[in-house]
Amino acid sequence: MESHHVEEPTQFDLLRGAKAGNFSAFQQLLNILQPRVYGLAWRILQQQQDAEDATQQTFLAMIEHIADFREESSIATWAMKIASNNALKILRKRRGLNVISLSQIQSEDQYSDVPTPDFIAPWAKPADELAQEAEVQAELDTALSQLDDKYRLVFILRDVEGLSVRETAEALELTESTVKVRLLRARLALRERLTRKFGNALQVVKTTHNHS
Amino acid sequence: MNCEELLKALNDHVDGAELTELCEEFSQHLAGCNPCQIVVDNIRQTISLYRAGEPYEMPAAFQERLQQSLKSRWEEKFGSISTGSSTVGFRETGLDRPSEN
Ligand SMILES: [Zn+2]
């Protein structure tokens, strides 16, 4: 047990304060969580107004339930789960009733016919260098928006936001094995597209597709 | 392990941009298979790139609306917010309560 004196309150302190009804503590927590919640909503919804609605609904829901938050996960994970739920609701409403339920098991949720990588080449520049380039962000958004919702959501929660497979499964009400298959498909689809864009065309590797 | 099996095992060994807990079969195949090395590296770069992306900036007007709506919901739930600048001095809370009882 350590008892160090720090000026800055920890997230734990802030949570204690918020649970005790201290609005200022809650605001400070939100300042920490806001970029991730808004970013998650934006990535899922790809539209500002909807991202704002999802963000607001998320924080309102947190006020509603903060007293009962049992701290089985970090507050950030809790916020991400609520945010993905709210974003999903908006997405479903937007897509209308003919949208297939995300949690419905589908044939693509098996490993059997996962597509084989086609364009294989090392990237011409490392990711951290590419990230500095203005047009790359637009390319990333486009690539993400062209992914099917069910793959996109899993990729955003697991790989971009860093939730565990289990947390992602809980947030999206999927089984862990469905999360894993969808994550693989998402990763492969994005890899394929981005490698065609950023791969070094002079170092393309040919594979022999002999699946013995 | 062949290339196809390596792909299926990918989730268990690539966590974000990191290669984790390489099992022997996985690393053995990887060591001897250039296409798989490149595919795994491509995927790690893909994830890094998404993680390194610019944070989405919340518009200032929304920020303001948000604060207002949160504040009024908070007041509905917890009662009015004291205007005293109580910037989370929890250790002090209770001390600065007016003792008028
Ligand atoms: Zn291979």
Side-chain angles (χ1 to χ4, degrees):
Chain A
M1 279 289 156
E2 51 192 320
S3 69
H4 44 208
H5 271 277
V6 279
E7 291 294 310
E8 291 278 297
T10 64
Q11 285 195 27
F12 186 76
D13 291 333
L14 294 172
L15 184 57
R16 284 277 95 70
K19 281 184 163 183
N22 183 325
F23 184 61
S24 157
F26 182 69
Q27 275 181 311
Q28 289 179 64
L29 266 183
L30 291 203
N31 288 341
I32 299 168
L33 299 173
Q34 218 166 57
R36 287 186 70 190
V37 168
Y38 184 71
L40 175 72
W42 218 105
R43 284 192 177 94
I44 293 177
L45 296 163
Q46 304 280 325
Q47 204 259 23
Q48 184 186 318
Q49 181 62 52
D50 286 349
E52 291 181 1
D53 289 348
T55 302
Q56 176 152 338
Q57 287 160 12
T58 299
F59 291 143
L60 288 173
M62 286 177 73
I63 293 179
E64 209 52 51
H65 300 292
I66 193 143
D68 328 311
F69 172 50
R70 291 202 306 271
E71 297 168 54
E72 283 158 353
S73 63
S74 75
I75 187 151
T77 301
W78 184 52
M80 300 315 272
K81 282 187 193 171
I82 299 174
S84 54
N85 259 306
N86 283 313
L88 266 176
K89 274 186 213 151
I90 293 174
L91 203 59
R92 290 201 175 110
K93 207 193 266 174
R94 194 204 281 167
R95 302 271 154 95
L97 292 170
N98 54 356
V99 69
I100 300 163
S101 160
L102 271 175
S103 52
Q104 192 175 318
I105 304 295
Q106 291 162 274
S107 58
E108 311 91 84
D109 290 334
Q110 321 291 322
Y111 279 117
S112 50
D113 56 347
V114 168
T116 326
D118 182 35
F119 188 90
I120 302 176
W123 285 16
K125 289 182 199 171
D128 54 346
E129 227 170 278
L130 281 169
Q132 311 294 322
E133 296 176 16
E135 65 280 7
V136 168
Q137 190 60 47
E139 177 60 38
L140 294 183
D141 282 342
T142 309
L144 206 49
S145 67
Q146 288 183 352
L147 265 190
D148 200 289
D149 287 342
K150 57 183 189 283
Y151 304 134
R152 193 155 51 90
L153 283 155
V154 166
F155 180 79
I156 293 168
L157 289 177
R158 174 75 188 98
D159 278 342
V160 184
E161 294 299 336
L163 267 59
S164 69
V165 169
R166 193 171 65 87
E167 289 165 345
T168 304
E170 280 171 15
L172 301 175
E173 293 172 2
L174 298 170
T175 65
E176 290 185 38
S177 65
T178 301
V179 167
K180 285 187 176 186
V181 179
R182 290 186 184 180
L183 182 65
L184 179 61
R185 285 178 176 273
R187 286 171 164 186
L188 289 172
L190 292 171
R191 186 214 70 86
E192 195 68 43
R193 190 192 158 104
L194 295 184
T195 302
R196 283 170 198 278
K197 191 89 186 170
F198 304 130
N200 186 336
L202 300 174
Q203 294 179 41
V204 176
V205 172
K206 295 268 174 264
T207 49
T208 48
H209 291 284
N210 55 345
H211 295 165
S212 43
Chain B
M1 188 179 268
N2 61 30
C3 299
E4 212 177 332
E5 288 163 342
L6 182 126
L7 271 190
K8 288 173 191 169
L10 201 67
N11 284 341
D12 298 324
H13 303 291
V14 178
D15 179 13
E18 305 293 322
L19 276 173
T20 58
E21 44 168 327
L22 291 180
C23 76
E24 200 164 325
E25 281 179 285
F26 189 91
S27 45
Q28 241 172 37
H29 177 94
L30 201 58
C33 182
N34 189 235
C36 278
Q37 279 169 26
I38 296 173
V39 167
V40 169
D41 188 62
N42 287 165
I43 289 173
R44 291 167 56 221
Q45 298 270 23
T46 298
I47 297 167
S48 294
L49 194 50
Y50 274 101
R51 288 192 169 180
E54 294 272 302
Y56 296 92
E57 198 80 33
M58 252 176 49
F62 169 58
Q63 175 89 18
E64 219 156 281
R65 279 203 314 280
L66 179 65
Q67 285 305 322
Q68 282 313 312
S69 94
L70 295 180
K71 192 165 176 242
S72 58
R73 178 67 63 90
W74 189 274
E75 285 181 326
E76 279 168 30
K77 185 127 182 116
F78 295 99
S80 71
I81 296 158
S82 67
T83 40
S85 59
S86 63
T87 37
V88 200
F90 304 111
R91 290 169 188 105
E92 298 100 278
T93 38
L95 295 177
D96 52 10
R97 193 189 283 154
S99 51
E100 282 175 11
N101 39 353

